[in-house]
Amino acid sequence: MSSVLHVQTRAYPLHFGNLELLPDNLEVPGHGSVGLAPGRLESQTYNPERLVVLDLTALVRSAVRLPGATIRHCRARVLRAGTVLLTYAMTHETDLRALDTVALDEFDAAVNTALRSADAQVINAILDTAASSGLLGNPTVVNTGGISTGMPSSIDLRVVRYNAHFITAEPPWERDHRVLPMPLGPHCSILMSYTYAWDLDADTPFDDVLTALEPADITVAQISVLFSAMIGSRRILTQLARANTGLMEDHDFRRFLDQVWAEFYMLDAYRLESAQSHRATYIAALANVGLPQAQQNATELLAHVNSSLRAESTMKTQRLDGRLNRVAAMLTVAVAGSFTVDIMAYVAPDAPVAIRVAVVATVVALGIATVVATLVARGNTSSRPDQLRKERRLFRRRVARSRA
């Protein structure tokens, strides 16, 4: 019976831009040291993408326990396009060749859930150390509070997507009927969305295995970048709907948007830089996971958020202009009053005290009246939403009575 190597590749979209520096190693608090090495995407033939490789096998084996599974390899590849690809290679006590395609997919999902729960602490510590050491520069993450600059451990795990790969000689699994047949590169067959079978020896050197999987894993990195942008955008829309935008301004979102699209199209360059056989697999994987439709949806959503932020910024500017106009009006009254008093002192320096007191009192009263009128107008403006809510409640009550 041929053995099966089960490989899962997660894509963490951290939006860190270009790699800042390459330290000799990372000292992960409580877990030990991790070595770093330069690498590249070997399936690219024209301008190979350079990356940083972290071999996490020893560290993960000591920290993660997965019943019925043996972790053979664990690698993290840090791409310049703001993404970290974390790849596990495992063997299982369960005979995966005896499972049908649906059962195989369910098994993979269960393993992924258990693995994410088991390795959350150590992987978060590794990513945070990579950020604090300067390897990732200053990453921007999508967390529970929206889009922020912080540590990768605060990333919303919903933006992390993954591929499943089953590597064995003569894979026995049938393609799901919902997957359309498409031209593919050698050794690859698509079983389901995000699920692939590879006709390779399970004992193939792991570097060669990673090279074979690169076209499919680049697609999941692109999907993760889009999911990150869309989830962050939905949170911003929720904040706008509640009139609570926090510190997010339209220019901040524009910079984030520029970064997202720069990363997306840097990954998309793979279709031009990769070899012919790998390119075929990449294009088929793109169509299978529905990336073109996801890109269109993301474009529309991001454009809507951008226009909403611009409208919110315009509203804030109008409110500020209104406040400044009121302040300017009060200052004008004060200056006019002072000017009146000065004229009175110049024109009639010998005027009786009563007339002087009357002029000063009139000026003071006029200033006080202006301030009171400004405050009353502001109060009426701020109380308008409350008045509208009261009118809506009264209208609902009348409707309910009429129906009764």
Side-chain angles (χ1 to χ4, degrees):
M1 180 183 65
S2 300
S3 60
V4 177
L5 187 67
H6 181 197
V7 179
Q8 291 184 348
T9 298
R10 302 180 206 162
Y12 290 81
L14 302 181
H15 310 301
F16 50 79
N18 293 331
L19 300 177
E20 296 295 329
L21 54 89
L22 180 59
D24 294 332
N25 54 49
L26 296 179
E27 292 293 336
V28 183
H31 297 283
S33 178
V34 176
L36 287 80
R40 66 180 192 175
L41 295 179
E42 298 292 343
S43 60
Q44 290 184 330
T45 58
Y46 303 103
N47 297 289
E49 174 77 11
R50 299 195 177 278
L51 46 84
V52 178
V53 180
L54 289 74
D55 192 345
L56 308 178
T57 305
L59 189 150
V60 167
R61 280 178 178 172
S62 63
V64 177
R65 295 288 181 271
L66 202 61
T70 301
I71 297 175
R72 300 295 184 188
H73 306 278
C74 183
R75 298 271 184 89
R77 289 167 289 170
V78 184
L79 279 63
R80 289 190 304 117
T83 307
V84 175
L85 295 177
L86 178 67
T87 303
Y88 280 94
M90 302 163 283
T91 55
H92 301 278
E93 297 175 358
T94 304
D95 182 9
L96 301 186
R97 295 180 64 92
L99 303 178
D100 61 22
T101 302
V102 174
L104 186 72
D105 183 70
E106 293 174 351
F107 177 84
D108 167 72
V111 169
N112 183 262
T113 300
L115 188 58
R116 285 198 188 198
S117 176
D119 73 0
Q121 182 178 2
V122 62
I123 296 303
N124 287 343
I126 293 169
L127 294 177
D128 285 348
T129 302
S132 60
S133 68
L135 175 62
L136 304 183
N138 190 23
T140 300
V141 299
V142 175
N143 55 26
T144 55
I147 301 169
S148 65
T149 300
M151 302 304 283
S153 59
S154 63
I155 189 173
D156 189 331
L157 293 182
R158 290 183 298 172
V159 307
V160 179
R161 317 299 290 177
Y162 84 99
N163 276 339
H165 307 279
F166 297 94
I167 301 168
T168 185
E170 299 181 357
W173 307 288
E174 296 292 334
R175 170 177 53 86
D176 187 270
H177 65 89
R178 291 166 292 185
V179 176
L180 299 177
M182 290 173 284
L184 291 164
H187 313 297
C188 179
S189 60
I190 300 178
L191 303 180
M192 286 185 171
S193 295
Y194 304 98
T195 306
Y196 305 84
W198 300 84
D199 188 3
L200 297 169
D201 192 328
D203 295 326
T204 300
F206 193 56
D207 288 336
D208 295 338
V209 170
L210 287 178
T211 299
L213 308 185
E214 282 175 2
D217 289 343
I218 292 298
T219 63
V220 81
Q222 287 184 270
I223 282 286
S224 294
V225 169
L226 291 181
F227 267 76
S228 175
M230 288 191 289
I231 289 178
S233 298
R234 291 201 299 267
R235 289 204 175 111
I236 293 173
L237 285 179
T238 301
Q239 292 173 354
L240 288 171
R242 296 173 180 173
N244 179 24
T245 56
L247 300 178
M248 174 62 71
E249 300 289 346
D250 59 335
H251 56 272
D252 297 325
F253 183 75
R254 180 184 57 78
R255 293 191 184 99
F256 171 76
L257 187 62
D258 291 342
Q259 188 175 15
V260 165
W261 287 125
E263 294 165 358
F264 178 84
Y265 285 110
M266 191 181 297
L267 292 167
D268 198 61
Y270 184 86
R271 71 172 76 237
L272 303 175
E273 306 288 352
S274 57
Q276 292 290 348
S277 58
H278 294 284
R279 188 180 307 164
T281 300
Y282 171 75
I283 293 174
L286 283 182
N288 182 251
V289 300
L291 191 137
Q293 183 62 45
Q295 182 182 356
Q296 180 180 348
N297 294 341
T299 302
E300 294 173 356
L301 177 60
L302 294 173
H304 179 72
V305 174
N306 197 24
S307 62
S308 296
L309 282 171
R310 287 181 180 275
E312 182 70 19
S313 179
T314 301
M315 186 182 301
K316 289 181 179 179
T317 302
Q318 292 174 348
R319 291 173 181 169
L320 180 60
D321 289 344
R323 296 191 188 103
L324 292 176
N325 289 336
R326 289 193 291 269
V327 171
M330 288 187 285
L331 290 176
T332 301
V333 172
V335 171
S338 177
F339 188 61
T340 302
V341 173
D342 289 341
I343 291 176
M344 181 63 188
Y346 178 77
V347 173
D350 299 327
V353 175
I355 295 177
R356 294 181 181 182
V357 170
V359 171
V360 172
T362 302
V363 171
V364 172
L366 181 61
I368 294 174
T370 303
V371 173
V372 171
T374 303
L375 294 176
V376 170
R378 183 179 179 183
N380 290 338
T381 302
S382 62
S383 63
R384 182 173 178 79
D386 295 334
Q387 182 179 357
L388 291 175
R389 281 193 288 269
K390 291 179 181 178
E391 291 177 357
R392 291 193 190 102
R393 285 197 294 268
L394 290 174
F395 177 75
R396 293 193 191 99
R397 290 175 184 172
R398 291 171 184 167
V399 172
R401 291 173 183 172
S402 63
R403 291 178 179 174

